[in-house]
Amino acid sequence: SRTRCKTTQNRFSMSRLVALALSALPSVFSAFDPSSLGADLHCSSCEMFLEQFFMEANKPVFGTKRDTSARGVYKMRIIDIYKKHAPNKTHLVDSMLRHYKKKEHLLYQKVCYHYGEAIEPAYNKDDAESEEEEFAWKRSQAEMALQATIEGPNKKDEKDKDKGSKTQWAVMGKEGERKYVDFNKAMNNGVMDNISTGGDLGKQLEDAFTFYAEQFGYVLTSALASSKRLYDSGIHKTFCVAVRACASKEAKEPEGSKESADEDTGQAEPVEEVEEIAHDEL
């Protein structure tokens, strides 16, 4: 059964999110390790994953009105069970609920019995509109966005004139500064230097996205479920550094560059220093 926690108890601070993410590093075995891509592409794959996840999650988590009716609540409950045991049946839930109109709890009980899931109490309007249910619903929406993110690198573009074609991925930049790019978009923007399409880059990205979702999915979906707006959690700013996919800004800064900058101006820059400290504490 789904875990219900009060929304206020799940409003993670950024430091808590980072701690959860780092503690998750060894928790799930994965056959693919994105660090094998090299430090630059490891970072690029993480940043691309996070960008895609936020894009996929924006509308379903923050731009969709939650249905707190009995039908809406049972639909979510049953879909959650099917996602766990029989993903190919999620599309059947609407028709099943139509057949069991005003008997939704009976249908839900049957599904729970069939898959050995604990049965939650019958629908109650006050409970349905509670913060706990709001958190659970938003997290479920975020989980679907996470799955769509994994499928993104090799998803066929139905709007493309060559109907059904996939994105052609490329690697751009010199060694140590490489990043994944959409080859056709890069060409349209006139980017021709240091670009390569060798290897199955779509598979690399899909494997990397799967790794991040498996290892850190709980952290990411909980962060969005605890937020009122897409970027409120701030996890988009520090996640890839926290999970050691990207180097911190301080680590990238050449040794002595700060000192030389201070010598040029003749004074320190306390405002910038405070900003960095605040960033580290998040």
Side-chain angles (χ1 to χ4, degrees):
S1 62
R2 287 172 295 155
T3 301
R4 291 289 189 270
C5 300
K6 286 187 178 296
T7 306
T8 52
Q9 293 174 338
N10 282 279
R11 292 195 186 284
F12 298 104
S13 66
M14 196 58 226
S15 58
R16 176 63 174 152
L17 283 167
V18 169
L20 280 169
L22 292 177
S23 66
L25 279 170
S27 66
V28 180
F29 172 78
S30 177
F32 180 80
D33 181 0
S35 65
S36 64
L37 300 170
D40 48 3
L41 291 182
H42 186 190
C43 180
S44 177
S45 67
C46 182
E47 291 177 338
M48 185 174 286
F49 163 78
L50 206 60
E51 180 183 355
Q52 186 68 24
F53 172 58
F54 272 65
M55 185 177 72
E56 293 284 357
N58 188 26
K59 184 176 180 180
V61 179
F62 301 100
T64 304
K65 184 177 175 62
R66 182 166 67 98
D67 186 352
T68 58
S69 67
R71 184 182 183 282
V73 169
Y74 284 112
K75 178 179 179 179
M76 178 178 154
R77 290 184 184 182
I78 295 169
I79 284 178
D80 279 354
I81 294 172
Y82 278 154
K83 281 194 298 186
K84 182 177 177 182
H85 298 283
N88 61 318
K89 292 185 177 181
T90 55
H91 70 285
L92 300 174
V93 176
D94 281 325
S95 61
M96 293 165 67
L97 286 168
R98 282 195 294 270
H99 185 72
Y100 278 82
K101 188 175 182 180
K102 295 187 178 180
K103 296 185 290 184
E104 293 89 353
H105 191 70
L106 176 60
L107 170 63
Y108 167 64
Q109 286 179 311
K110 289 183 176 182
V111 175
C112 287
Y113 284 134
H114 185 77
Y115 292 104
E117 291 287 336
I119 299 174
E120 294 183 40
Y123 168 80
N124 176 284
K125 183 173 175 60
D126 290 337
D127 289 343
E129 296 176 350
S130 68
E131 288 188 341
E132 293 93 329
E133 285 292 335
E134 175 73 11
F135 177 86
W137 178 81
K138 289 174 74 174
R139 187 157 183 269
S140 179
Q141 295 290 94
E143 286 173 345
M144 288 190 284
L146 198 62
Q147 183 57 41
T149 301
I150 294 172
E151 297 168 357
N154 287 314
K155 185 178 180 180
K156 292 182 178 179
D157 186 359
E158 299 299 332
K159 296 179 180 178
D160 193 271
K161 61 181 180 181
D162 300 321
K163 200 156 184 171
S165 65
K166 298 179 183 178
T167 300
Q168 184 177 1
W169 295 104
V171 169
M172 182 179 73
K174 61 183 181 181
E175 192 72 28
E177 299 177 0
R178 299 171 300 165
K179 62 181 180 179
Y180 293 102
V181 295
D182 181 324
F183 178 76
N184 290 324
K185 287 182 179 178
M187 292 296 99
N188 290 337
N189 292 331
V191 178
M192 303 291 290
D193 296 332
N194 292 318
I195 192 164
S196 169
T197 58
D200 192 347
L201 300 178
K203 182 67 166 60
Q204 282 183 17
L205 283 171
E206 184 176 339
D207 288 344
F209 284 15
T210 300
F211 174 87
Y212 300 129
E214 287 177 347
Q215 295 285 354
F216 312 115
Y218 175 79
V219 175
L220 292 166
T221 56
S222 295
L224 294 194
S226 301
S227 303
K228 289 185 177 181
R229 292 170 297 186
L230 184 62
Y231 295 106
D232 278 359
S233 70
I235 198 169
H236 61 291
K237 295 180 179 179
T238 54
F239 175 77
C240 290
V241 173
V243 302
R244 303 166 191 167
C246 297
S248 65
K249 181 180 178 182
E250 291 83 354
K252 289 180 180 179
E253 187 175 280
E255 188 176 348
S257 60
K258 188 174 185 343
E259 290 80 352
S260 62
D262 290 344
E263 288 173 7
D264 291 340
T265 59
Q267 59 183 4
E269 297 182 12
V271 175
E272 186 66 22
E273 184 65 24
V274 170
E275 184 177 327
E276 291 297 326
I277 291 171
H279 186 276
D280 289 345
E281 290 173 350
L282 288 176

